[in-house]
Amino acid sequence: VVGLWLLLVLVSLPLAPRVEHVLQVGGFSSENMESAKALATLQRNLDFKATSLSVIFSSDQWTVDDPRFLAAAQAAVADVTAVPEVAEVIPYALNPRQISSDRHTAYTVITLNTPPEGSQRLLPVVEGKIQPTPPQMRTIVAGGPVFYADIEKASSSDLRRGEVVAFPLALIALVLVFGSLASAITPIVIGGCSVIAILASLFLLGHATDLSIFVLNLATMLGLGLAVDYALFITSRFREELAQRPVADAVAVTVATAGRAIFFSGLTVLIGLGGLTIFPFMFLRSVGIAGLLVVFFSVLAALTLLPALLGLLGPRVNAFTLIRYRTPVAGETGHGAWHRLAVAVMARPWRFFVPALAFVLLLGSPFLHVQLSSPDATILPKSVPSRQGFELLKAKFGAGELDPVVLAVQTRDGSSIFAPENVAALYQLTHTLAADPRVERVDSITTIDRRIGLAQYQFLYAQPNAAFDPYVAGFAQHFARGDTALVSIVLKVGPISDTAKSVVHDLRATQPPGNLTYQVTGTTAGVLDVVSEMYHDFPLALLGVVIATYIILLLLLRSAVLPLKAILMNALSLVASYGALVWVFQDGHLSSLLGFAPLGFVESSLPIIMFCTLFGVSMDYEVFLLSRMRESWEETGDNTYSVAAGLERSGRIITSAALIVVVVAGSFVTADVVLVKALGLGVALAVLLDATVIRALLVPATMRLLGDWNWWLPAPLRRVLPNVNEAVESTKYEVRSTATVGANGVAPDRQRADSDHEGARR
């Protein structure tokens, strides 16, 4: 088994570092959205270019009217047209709106014949053709391709930084947990092998389907966290069993108990992340696919490679002891702080339940004023070119200038948009929009010059296209053709503001005049559509995840109540982490400490990703805890004793496992991409809260309040459901009936008596 894993790692090693080359940026759009349909109409009918670069020229000494400024700007982009994928170069001299009001900044637009996703691959070629400008001028290249390129670079940098931070910190935490270097290194080896196999699989899968660049960070964070978590649980249980059994028997019982819990907890994580695959967005779907690979390799390594290594190590698993702890013995209870805590909580359950619940709900309360939106250049650090260009254009031209609301206007009967009656309807529409106090300006074929009236527009467009006035022809070339016209609405506010969203809502609720119809696109419309589309499908994903998780826990725990309680406990930790996201990233608290500028919103996919990720990860700890409680319940039938014994046997390990995930996820708080930073912080906080307040206080309190109802299962279900615990009991029985005197000195006849008693009870 070890040899097969070594072979897998050796095959994967050349592939894993190349994974970023097959991953895609973007993925936040769907063909079902109105904004996407409008964009497709403009591309099809007007040859509209969705991808463009802005070459920004700025000078403190020269104005745009200075011949030196103009000559340098023209020379800088003179060779760009030699790139085959460049469709058009629009210098600022042809469009006064590309010049700032102080006349010290201007930009040239380069349109590309490539879709936005993947356009960053063309960026080095275009930038190579842009010539340097004199020292008196500053040149910045901005736009979608630059943004995507910066996302790729930042994601790769975040991944490397996260790995450099996470692995040493995880090793230190494991040494503190186990006290032994050999025991601590074993989970790191398992995590490393899993991550290498996961990244190599993503590289191969990336050739068959589109995968988002963000799966790099998620796969590493989750892969390392889950694999180390699972290895921690199995290694700690093996050390318990090794204290009273031979090596082979200790491995057998460990896999039958902790291994079974890992298998079922892995299923819950699998279901949670699998819920992401139903979404139409490439970004979410690829995160779900990556999550499935993460769970598969993490569970596979924990149930195959780790038992093989433990079998080879045997007692040497405790080698190189740095800190001496009392080794827990399987079946031994009544000792330790966790036992005392459980007893104290269950003695006064209401006194702990009410304050703990209030504390968690208080943490989640900021989520009540959440604002959801899609990412833009502000998720990147201010040091990268795309963010610098974005901020410069915003400062010089206004936020609305960069991202106008766009209408794809068409005639209902397919008649020419230049027909007099259609020009009249378009004139009425555009001038009504221009009168809106929220609108800065409207660009269209009927708003070329405010001195031109409707009759003059009708006269101009009644001529054949070839006879158009040159200035009018320039507008008509870009803004109208056949039965389609483009209307650009520049707002006085930024694209993700409430005012901009209200404009889009009003446009979609308004019937256009005459023979016209339109669809709305642009950044604002895209944000609204993405949020609407995501959260239209989210309830279905949520319901599917909850139902599937309930069924799996019903099989594992053979209780109709405990799975429902576990789901509610998970929901509480999610609520708290959601509140923290709003408090930190939307409201801006701790932004200076964490090194980012407040967004004013929460990225729309984050709550969905965190639900599907954390629902399964948090359920891990619930499964491990309730599995140990179930073992004690089957042995004694005493609810209070079982809760205390289960928490005693698993509390320290659950907290240690949570510490590993917190360390790994928390290492990504140092990320440059705010989206990755937010995901790392959200996961770390939710897991920390889940393993402390939820598991240590709320779970024992609710278990005590419910009493024997915890273990209730209707008789019809008891007869129908397969008993997955029978294999565990059989393994224990076989080991006890064949074992010789163990490390604790229990004689064989006593072991046989215990086995006979347990067999009779079953």
Side-chain angles (χ1 to χ4, degrees), residues 17 82 104 225 234 241 298 354 371 621:
H104 281 277
I234 284 191
E241 299 296 337
S298 299
V354 173
Q371 295 289 327
Y621 306 131

Side-chain angles (χ1 to χ4, degrees), residues 331-515:
E332 184 182 66
T333 58
H335 301 278
W338 287 104
H339 182 90
R340 292 191 295 272
L341 176 62
V343 170
V345 170
M346 288 188 291
R348 299 172 182 83
W350 285 111
R351 291 188 183 181
F352 287 92
F353 177 80
V354 173
L357 180 62
F359 174 69
V360 173
L361 294 178
L362 178 65
L363 290 179
S365 60
F367 193 66
L368 294 174
H369 64 270
V370 65
Q371 295 289 327
L372 299 173
S373 187
S374 290
D376 57 19
T378 56
I379 68 171
L380 290 168
K382 294 182 178 180
S383 59
V384 301
S386 60
R387 177 69 185 274
Q388 292 175 352
F390 175 84
E391 296 293 348
L392 180 59
L393 288 174
K394 182 179 177 181
K396 294 291 186 178
F397 296 90
E401 186 76 35
L402 304 179
D403 292 295
V405 176
V406 177
L407 302 184
V409 182
Q410 291 185 284
T411 58
R412 296 180 186 275
D413 57 5
S415 59
S416 171
I417 195 69
F418 297 109
E421 64 277 10
N422 294 331
V423 171
L426 188 62
Y427 183 91
Q428 179 184 344
L429 171 65
T430 54
H431 282 73
T432 300
L433 290 172
D436 191 315
R438 299 168 294 182
V439 174
E440 178 70 29
R441 144 180 121 255
V442 176
D443 295 333
S444 73
I445 61 170
T446 55
T447 56
I448 297 175
D449 192 316
R450 63 183 60 187
R451 295 169 297 180
I452 302 177
L454 171 60
Q456 292 169 300
Y457 279 120
Q458 289 175 319
F459 173 78
L460 287 171
Y461 296 128
Q463 313 303 317
N465 287 11
F468 281 179
D469 175 87
Y471 187 63
V472 173
F475 263 81
Q477 178 185 356
H478 291 94
F479 284 89
R481 191 179 305 168
D483 66 345
T484 305
L486 183 153
V487 175
S488 175
I489 307 167
V490 178
L491 303 179
K492 296 178 179 178
V493 293
I496 60 175
S497 65
D498 291 339
T499 301
K501 293 174 183 177
S502 70
V503 170
V504 173
H505 284 304
D506 292 345
L507 283 168
R508 287 176 169 173
T510 302
Q511 182 73 22
N515 187 37

